[in-house]
Amino acid sequence: MYVLVALGMLAVLVRVFQIQVIEGDEWRKKSENLTIDYRTIDAVRGNIYALDGSLLATSVPKYEVRFDPNADAVTNDFFNSNIDSLAWCLADLFKDRSPASYKSELINARNKKKRYYLIRRNVKFTQLKAMREFPIFRRGKYKGGFITVQQNKRQRPFRVLASRTIGYDRENGARVGLEAAYRKQLAGISGKRLEKKIAGGTWMPLSDSDDIEPQDGYDLVTTIDINIQDVAEAALMRQLVEQQAEYGCVVLMEVGTGEIRAIANLSKGADGSYKERYNYAIGAATEPGSTIKLASWMALLEDGYVDLDDKIQTGNGKHVFYKTTMYDSHEGGFGEITVKEAFAKSSNIAVATTVDKYYKSEPQKFINHLYGMRLNKKLGVEITGEGMPYIKSSNDSTWSGLSLPWISHGYELQLTPLQLLTFYNAVANDGRMMKPMFAKSITNYGDVMEEFEPVVLKESIASKETIKKARIMLEAVVTEGTAKNLKNASFSIAGKTGTAQISKGSTGYKVKSYQASFCGYFPADKPLYSCIVVVNAPSKNVYYGNLVAGPIFKEIANKVYSTSIGAHEELVVTKSTSSRPRIPISKNGDYDDLASVYTKLKVPFTVRENAQWVAVSTGTDSVAVRPKRYVENLVPNVVGMDVEDAIYLLENKGVKVEIEGRGVVIGQSVNPGILIQGRGFKIKLSLS
Amino acid sequence: MVDKLFKYLGGDRSIWVVVMFQALLSLLLVYSSIVTLAYKYQGGNTFYYVIKHGGFVLSGFVIIYLVHRVNYRYFSRIAQFLVWFVIPLLLLTLVTGNDINNAKRWLTIPIINQSFQTSDLAKIALIMYIARFLAIKKDALNDYGGTFIPVMGVILLVVGLILPANLSTALVLFMLSMMLLFMAGVSIRNLLSVIPVGLAALVLVIAVYKVSPDTFPRFKTWEARIERFGSDEPNPNGNYQADQAKIAIATGGLFGKGPGNSTQRNFLPSSFSDFIYAIVIEEYGMIGGIGMVFLYMILLYRSLKIVQKAKGSFAANLVLGLSFGLVIQGLINMMVNVNLLPVTGQTLPLVSMGGTSMWFTSIALGIILSVSRTIEEQEKEVKDVVEPKHGRKFEKA
């Protein structure tokens, strides 16, 4: 008997040897296909907020819901007795297919021994919550085969607004803007979870809970004011389209702190549309043109060479420096004018001859004044890609007799719009130069973790006396000079126009192209905000700073002034009910969303039938809500819908959506009812 | 130190060493292979299971110690009524037992609320009963009506009650009983006479199953397991456990992946119980696999030594039955693991995690050691008498 047992044991060992050595390779190969590993789970990235708390960028969790119809605990009896109600619940929640179609799909999946069957992608959290209560699913992962995979999608609710400044942080390493600058704080700490590789290379979590919980990223509160940003972007867009310009940018800064309230950059694409493609305000160092004359005159004032009322002979508008002729824009010249007038009317000859006269013998003294105004140094903003300012020294190899007069009116030197604005802002701020600020604070669930304080770049860029005179000159530009079109009844603007001829690539200055700009601040007597507008290469033969850039400046200033509390007296609110608007017009879309808005605003509405997607028609005293039915695989009618709902609806059907414009959908490139085929099915929506 | 320890541990030292070694291995293996279960039910807390298992191992030792202090003659008394206590218990299990995987094997002890497999208890009870019965009737073993029929009746009754829920345990117990009868000297002719009875019973069971399949809910599982084992065609889903076990064995190599480094534990269901031998080989290699076999062979060899020395047939039969029971169970587990037998739920005694069945294993070992201790003490007495120390001759006599 003992021998018998011993033989059995020997058989076991022989078999082990057989499996290990003879069949070994086969089994080891098989093992490679089975893998289990700790996989990182991304932490939810922090939000980026505007100053007022509006969301600029957020990570929206979207869920992928899968089902294991062959989970051990899902027995035949259990499955069969619950499948009808599960199918009904799914059809009721998504309203895209009939219960019968869900049922046959699930039964099919079970029969095919599927273990990771896709129920739906892009499931919203509210829907997920509902699904957790469904029959079968409510038993959870192991007993009910209910599998969810969370994915976080970065979204910018205001889409194009300040998008380049908000930026992105992509997996491939491409990083831009504030997302890149504050990625450490925003990113959070990723967690780990045990996952199993299943057929098709998909990873499936092995347990419901994570092994190392990810720590969500902190939120970033920016200095951006979403309302001003909206106005700035819209005003810039309108003017760029009208002038068919190459690109343009607008930056609005709070004088006292350097906080950036708005920053818009738009450039023309190959298709002629304008989008945020590059952060020109921060990155593009160009020849500023006339706006630099402020610095030149300030240098002369600082050294006491001139005063505002000194007379300067500008002649007939032509002046020859070493065989090169300089022109004033005014036909026939300005003749003899005061310094103040020369600045206001932007005479090139006045500033060039005066600078040349006093600094010819020691040009570095003039350059040192510009250096003293901190125009030659980077601002050091946290957003990467800041353009390098360029102001050459007088012992530079390229220095010539023309350098001094040309630098004095804005050529042979380069500055970015933001650097120039920072300089103007310092003038408005009584000489104190503030560093542009984009970030206000880092918060975590509302608790402030880190507060950013304004940074002074230079305590004083010039004497008080010079600053005072500089501001008188800047005011004169609007009251009597080149920017009279910016004059305003309720508050005054001070600033300087700039119309720089720009060199275009290899053609140099031969093909005439201009960069129109306006840089200034308001209200002139008690500056609150400074602002720069740059429009590059307007192509409609209008290129003067006051005409191209000025209107944008004015529109933004008006908006900011009218909305900033304390800048003006409060309006008396008219309380008569007759003037009250009727029921607000609403867009078609998600029923739950609309219903909660109506309830909150106490708008009476009537519902004929419950549905997820509804169309609304606004009557005189109530809103009628009708259900909209969408058939799977057919293009739905999204005209009249809010863009977010339209995109959600379309993307859920696997359609790629391109949008043009903003607001409500007014047109769709593919007609409703067309069959959606293939993965790359695209549709273009025009909005208004 | 070692001597000091064994001052308190009577009986065969080799068996004690084997038991300790296996318990230690068991802790390591369970700690490693429990990962998936821990993730499923305890949020990744493997310690919950290790502490629980450690508790069973420790209490197992206490049981072995306590049982081995008992004079084995008392077991003869217990054997008298234990089997009559077990039979209604088995019946109760079949009717009201806790249903796990369609198998009603478990009964919850009221008050302490600990469930256990009644078949574990039945095994010990039946072996004790046979050992006692054969010892009493040792002079009339081949009395067909007086000895064979009564003992066979009890065997068939117990086995028959285990069978509906646990085919493999029933078969093992039946074979073990037959073996005991054979080694005690019951003639083969008598033993073979059971075959027609067994066949008749089998036909009856199959007939009942065909008429009302619900009477034997486990039948489907058996059918499937045997079919899967028998067929050679590759089945993508079918032979999952066996394939995973083979992968574990194949990737283990000669020296294994090292303690705690198993990867197959994540794919092999019941890697901490039914398929623990595959994990032994995966983590400790061919060397570990051979070692495990040797541990059981030592256990069996030492037990047979006890049987040889045992005076009186009850002790010999008892040790024979219990030790073969343990080792054959282990052998079956290993054979299943290497795919020499179809998948069954036989655990590796003392090594697999399995709470209460560990207690019954401990009781069995305790009984074996109790016999061993008694024998050793008797030998010592004889020695003292024959070779007295320091010339104090015949003092005791």
Side-chain angles (χ1 to χ4, degrees), chain B residues 52-64 67 109 112 114-116 120-121 124 350 352 354-366:
Chain B
K52 202 174 157 190
H53 181 60
F56 276 114
V57 170
L58 213 66
S59 53
F61 267 106
V62 173
I63 289 171
I64 297 176
V67 173
I109 307 170
I112 63 164
Q114 173 70 53
S115 61
F116 74 105
D120 283 331
L121 178 63
I124 293 180
L350 269 179
S352 293
T356 48
S357 72
M358 197 152 223
W359 286 347
F360 290 105
T361 308
S362 301
I363 291 173
L365 283 163

Side-chain angles (χ1 to χ4, degrees), chain A residues 493-603:
Chain A
I493 292 171
K496 178 75 190 82
T497 56
T499 311
Q501 229 187 91
I502 48 174
S503 61
K504 260 189 140 181
S506 57
T507 58
Y509 292 96
K510 277 168 202 148
V511 177
K512 282 202 173 168
S513 186
Y514 295 88
Q515 176 166 292
S517 58
F518 188 89
C519 191
Y521 54 86
F522 57 89
D525 48 336
K526 196 180 145 203
L528 285 174
Y529 295 99
S530 62
C531 178
I532 188 167
V533 178
V534 174
V535 177
N536 188 287
S539 60
K540 289 281 174 71
N541 278 325
V542 190
Y543 48 82
Y544 286 112
N546 60 332
L547 296 177
V548 176
I552 304 174
F553 189 100
K554 191 175 177 181
E555 193 174 339
I556 297 165
N558 278 336
K559 167 74 183 175
V560 173
Y561 186 77
S562 64
T563 51
S564 52
I565 300 158
H568 55 90
E569 279 168 33
E570 211 172 305
L571 284 169
V572 181
V573 181
T574 47
K575 278 188 178 156
S576 70
T577 43
S578 60
S579 63
R580 213 175 58 185
R582 287 188 322 183
I583 292 169
I585 308 285
S586 40
K587 305 163 188 173
N588 300 342
D590 187 276
Y591 171 74
D592 291 337
D593 292 352
L594 280 166
S596 65
V597 170
Y598 291 152
T599 316
K600 186 103 186 168
L601 294 178
K602 300 199 174 70
V603 174

Side-chain angles (χ1 to χ4, degrees), chain B residues 52-339:
Chain B
K52 202 174 157 190
H53 181 60
F56 276 114
V57 170
L58 213 66
S59 53
F61 267 106
V62 173
I63 289 171
I64 297 176
Y65 180 78
L66 291 178
V67 173
H68 105 288
R69 301 298 302 173
V70 176
N71 191 316
Y72 72 87
R73 287 182 187 89
Y74 286 109
F75 299 127
S76 177
R77 301 262 169 79
I78 294 169
Q80 271 178 292
F81 65 86
L82 191 60
V83 80
W84 304 115
F85 171 68
V86 153
I87 289 168
L89 215 57
L90 285 171
L91 210 61
L92 191 69
T93 312
L94 273 185
V95 179
T96 67
N98 307 345
D99 199 331
I100 299 174
N101 292 334
N102 276 333
K104 284 185 175 173
R105 297 175 180 174
W106 298 80
L107 206 61
T108 308
I109 307 170
I111 303 164
I112 63 164
N113 204 25
Q114 173 70 53
S115 61
F116 74 105
Q117 286 203 57
T118 35
S119 59
D120 283 331
L121 178 63
K123 241 190 285 183
I124 293 180
L126 188 62
I127 290 169
M128 282 165 89
Y129 177 82
I130 298 170
R132 180 186 146 80
F133 195 86
L134 293 177
I136 292 169
K137 301 266 181 174
K138 66 179 165 195
D139 296 324
L141 281 175
N142 283 315
D143 177 354
Y144 196 79
T147 309
F148 187 73
I149 297 279
V151 77
M152 208 58 203
V154 173
I155 291 170
L156 286 178
L157 190 59
V158 171
V159 167
L161 285 172
I162 295 175
L163 187 131
N166 200 341
L167 178 69
S168 60
T169 302
L171 285 177
V172 169
L173 189 56
F174 182 71
M175 272 161 30
L176 193 66
S177 310
M178 286 300 173
M179 197 188 77
L180 259 178
L181 296 184
F182 171 71
M183 295 210 288
V186 176
S187 73
I188 292 185
R189 195 169 52 89
N190 281 353
L191 291 175
L192 288 180
S193 68
V194 188
I195 291 175
V197 180
L199 278 179
L202 198 67
V203 169
L204 187 74
V205 164
I206 291 172
V208 170
Y209 169 68
K210 290 290 173 200
V211 174
S212 90
D214 290 341
T215 320
F216 299 105
R218 291 286 293 169
F219 226 93
K220 263 193 190 156
T221 316
W222 301 338
E223 253 184 340
R225 279 181 176 173
I226 292 164
E227 270 171 21
R228 276 195 301 244
F229 182 74
S231 76
D232 279 334
E233 19 179 320
N235 182 346
N237 296 317
N239 250 336
Y240 181 76
Q241 286 175 313
D243 284 357
Q244 296 304 327
K246 282 184 190 170
I247 291 172
I249 292 165
T251 53
L254 187 58
F255 299 106
K257 296 176 182 171
N261 293 337
S262 164
T263 51
Q264 282 305 104
R265 63 187 176 206
N266 298 314
F267 306 104
L268 200 48
S270 307
S271 59
F272 42 86
S273 59
D274 296 358
F275 279 94
I276 204 153
Y277 187 61
I279 303 292
V280 169
I281 297 177
E282 193 189 3
E283 294 197 346
Y284 302 91
M286 184 70 162
I287 303 289
I290 294 171
M292 190 58 78
V293 164
F294 265 97
L295 287 179
Y296 283 105
M297 290 314 285
I298 292 168
L299 181 65
L300 189 61
Y301 178 75
R302 298 303 302 180
S303 300
L304 292 181
K305 282 273 175 218
I306 298 167
V307 172
Q308 280 176 4
K309 287 181 193 164
K311 294 195 170 108
S313 290
F314 174 66
N317 292 340
L318 195 58
V319 173
L320 198 67
L322 291 174
S323 60
F324 266 101
L326 286 179
V327 175
I328 285 177
Q329 190 188 334
L331 177 65
I332 287 174
N333 174 279
M334 294 181 199
M335 286 174 98
V336 167
N337 274 251
V338 299
N339 201 29

